Amino acid sequence: MKLEPFIQKTEQVLMVPSWSQISDQLIVGFTTKNGGVSKEEFQSLNLGLHVNDENNSVVVNRKKLADFLRFPPELWVCSEQTHKNKIAKVTTDERGTGVFTYEDSIKDTDGLYTTEKNILLTLCFADCVPLYFFAPTKQIIGIAHAGWKGTVQDIAGEMVRAWACEGVKPDEIQVVIGPAIDKCCYIVDDYVMNFVKDLDRVNSKSYEKISNNQYRLDLKEVNYQLMTRAGIPPENIQVSSYCTSCENQLFFSHRRDAGKTGRMMSFIGFKED
Ligand SMILES: [Zn+2]
């Protein structure tokens, strides 16, 4: 039985204590849907600016999170996520992008990494799989958004390859696969499954056929297999067992809430010494 990497710290936030033990300046976690000010389907800690919630409510929610993390919003980076596999290296010059208005988000980018401190990398989620990357030897951190589209485009492997250009070997990379819709609640059809089955060296442990044109798909497992394929040792990979659809008191779920819902935020950043 593997340990759950995320521990709920407050009404609003789950954190990853095993990584904080490696470096106490490393801030890494995932939000819940609770403890914010948004109303109706966004009740209450909606952190996505792009889902037709009141902009001001989202900004208040983001400031609440910033206060708890003691990581001011001016130091955050937010991107426009488009279910592709583009990864951007960000620097202190990009800080503040997409934090208060969606229009100035980093465009068309589903993965972020940095080698610098005092930057909080953030992405928004409501079922898709958050992937967290950390190479303690090089003090490099990253985050990626892997729904089924990003997963079959191997955004996990893209991050490993981007880091290879930074001189980071796959066996130096620690990974956490975060809360996401799990196989208990994620049914897909042949259209999606054909992309999954086309992935080299991804095996049937990640899915189960339940009827004609219906499969249970384990996107966390697919990402796990893609990471090991990219050379990350299995012992470096921690997987959350939280299902965003099952845990309806804790999380928004795009599928469970039929598309009308808010967004959680995954985040990782180093504070300055
Ligand atoms: Zn579930």
Side-chain angles (χ1 to χ4, degrees), residues 158-175:
E158 289 298 309
M159 186 72 81
V160 176
R161 288 183 281 280
W163 286 20
C165 302
E166 302 282 343
V168 179
K169 296 192 213 61
D171 65 2
E172 295 177 280
I173 304 175
Q174 299 287 327
V175 175

Side-chain angles (χ1 to χ4, degrees), residues 189-203:
D189 59 12
D190 282 318
Y191 177 78
V192 173
M193 275 313 301
N194 286 336
F195 288 98
V196 176
K197 288 175 178 173
D198 277 349
L199 292 168
D200 185 32
R201 280 188 275 165
V202 167
N203 64 43

